[in-house]
Amino acid sequence: MKIGVYSARRDERDFFAHAAEESGAELVMCGPVPELSNYQAARECRALSVITTPIDARLLDAFYSVGVRFISTRTVGYDHIDVEHARRIGMHIGNVSYSPDSVADYALMMILIAVRKLKAIVLRAQGQDFSLGGVRGRELRDLTVGVAGTGRIGTAVVRRLAGFGCRILACDPVPNREAGAWAEYVSFEELLSRSDVITLHMPAAQENEHLIGAAAFQRMKPGVCLVNTARGSLIDTGALIDALEEGKVGAAALDVIENEAGLYYNDLKCVNLKNRELAVLRSFPNTFVTPHTAFYTEHAVRDMVEFSVQSCAAFYTGADNPWLVV
Ligand code: COI
């Protein structure tokens, strides 16, 4: 039972070794990122574990041609894989369901950073400007927080928010019973117009690309805080920059941005980045940007690796696979 592994980071290695021992699988380290120049490394593996690199139709065909029949991404989201093409050619795809608390804790931190204007406070204090002008924050108990998307992560966010005494609004096509105990479910439009803070927790799909665009910003309260720990494609970045410049958005805390593929998780300190929107967003004192690290805890990394290996092993043995996507 050979499982090909791409993009294994140093901090994942012990978890891989443990997962291999538990499942009896032999792991084949196939390369830094899966691409057309190294797909041959997977030739003896029917199952692969990958992470965030885009896997398009050509790469899927290449893997199929060397016998790969299952690809498990060590992520919850699988928008980086051309799942429709996989379905067409008979390639199976799986994701993993790691600790939602990793992202939920981080989302709470981002909400607090936004409402307490932490970026401006820290930047100014570094220049020994200890004055108070412009950095007065707000208390969560006085605010209405809108949670858009109440799957496992959104529900964990609602659970945490309940302890802060704020009003909680939620929207989701499939309401969650636990979230409903603390949050009032409303339409997406109502959530936009009533919330002081909006936090996004939905997967990326074609239908929700630029869900938060000019029309959505129009509906929002002046000074709204926007938090995104989900996917960059949910927000029209140009429209967000306009809304920040106009003061319509009072603060943004973004762990994800559009077109981040190839940027994050790499050391690019000597490179001129081809993402002007990132540069503009980072220049704003009320916009806090992190490099898609909400997931990055010991607990979540262990889950990601172990569940991905278990999923590949289940593909070999025919055992039930709770992570199968197609
Ligand atoms: C996911 O699991 O979907 C994530 O967003 C984390 C990943 C990009 C490492």
Side-chain angles (χ1 to χ4, degrees):
M1 182 160 69
K2 286 190 176 174
I3 298 175
V5 178
Y6 280 94
S7 319
R9 299 187 312 267
R10 193 176 288 273
D11 66 294
E12 291 177 311
R13 282 191 195 155
D14 286 350
F15 298 133
F16 269 119
H18 180 252
E21 204 178 299
E22 290 280 299
S23 62
E26 181 189 335
L27 300 184
V28 180
M29 293 300 163
C30 293
V33 292
E35 53 196 8
L36 287 173
S37 62
N38 66 7
Y39 72 94
Q40 296 271 5
R43 85 189 146 270
E44 286 170 3
C45 309
R46 276 172 60 76
L48 295 184
S49 174
V50 302
I51 192 158
T52 48
T53 321
I55 305 211
D56 61 11
R58 283 205 319 152
L59 193 49
L60 285 168
D61 288 340
F63 281 135
Y64 194 92
S65 74
V66 292
V68 175
R69 293 293 179 268
F70 178 64
I71 301 179
S72 160
T73 174
R74 304 191 290 284
T75 56
V76 178
Y78 44 85
D79 45 298
H80 52 296
I81 301 178
D82 187 341
V83 172
E84 276 322 305
H85 187 75
R87 196 196 304 271
R88 274 196 294 277
I89 65 173
M91 177 78 88
H92 295 278
I93 304 294
N95 68 343
V96 291
S97 50
Y98 55 85
S99 158
D101 297 42
S102 59
V103 181
D105 286 354
Y106 203 92
L108 258 295
M109 177 182 77
M110 296 295 251
I111 290 171
L112 291 168
I113 283 172
V115 299
R116 298 306 298 266
K117 305 189 177 177
L118 194 76
K119 180 172 171 186
I121 291 172
V122 170
L123 281 176
R124 284 159 52 152
Q126 250 154 21
Q128 301 195 45
D129 174 357
F130 305 127
S131 64
L132 290 174
V135 292
R136 191 170 67 190
R138 288 183 291 174
E139 296 178 25
L140 278 180
R141 66 175 171 156
D142 297 325
L143 302 178
T144 299
V145 181
V147 181
T150 53
R152 294 174 74 231
I153 295 173
T155 296
V157 169
V158 169
R159 195 182 306 130
R160 283 158 175 71
L161 284 170
F164 284 88
C166 48
R167 270 174 308 281
I168 311 172
L169 303 179
C171 70
D172 197 296
V174 187
N176 176 288
R177 202 136 61 96
E178 185 192 351
W182 291 299
E184 177 191 352
Y185 271 96
V186 294
S187 67
F188 177 63
E189 287 71 26
E190 193 173 341
L191 182 137
L192 294 183
S193 60
R194 285 179 55 197
S195 301
D196 301 295
V197 178
I198 297 171
T199 179
L200 305 179
H201 299 288
M202 28 179 74
Q206 240 162 29
E207 312 78 77
N208 64 21
E209 187 176 354
H210 289 184
L211 182 72
I212 307 288
F217 287 119
Q218 282 285 330
R219 285 185 181 270
M220 292 180 196
K221 285 185 168 182
V224 64
C225 294
L226 182 62
V227 172
N228 191 3
T229 52
R231 280 295 180 269
S233 63
L234 297 173
I235 299 180
D236 176 343
T237 315
L240 171 62
I241 290 172
D242 289 343
L244 282 158
E245 282 174 348
E246 287 156 15
K248 176 77 188 201
V249 170
L254 310 169
D255 186 47
V256 287
I257 52 153
E258 284 188 278
N259 308 316
E260 67 179 47
L263 287 185
Y264 290 168
Y265 317 133
N266 295 307
D267 179 352
L268 302 177
K269 65 172 148 326
C270 298
V271 175
N272 292 352
L273 302 187
K274 292 192 189 121
N275 192 323
R276 296 177 191 187
E277 290 171 332
L278 174 60
V280 173
L281 289 169
R282 286 177 53 195
S283 76
F284 293 148
N286 62 352
T287 303
F288 187 71
V289 184
T290 55
H292 205 150
T293 40
F295 77 98
Y296 197 47
T297 65
E298 184 182 333
H299 195 130
V301 172
R302 183 191 308 119
D303 288 353
M304 290 162 118
V305 170
E306 292 188 354
F307 296 160
S308 182
V309 171
Q310 282 173 31
S311 177
C312 290
F315 185 77
Y316 269 104
T317 62
D320 272 354
N321 189 341
W323 302 288
L324 200 61
V325 174
V326 295

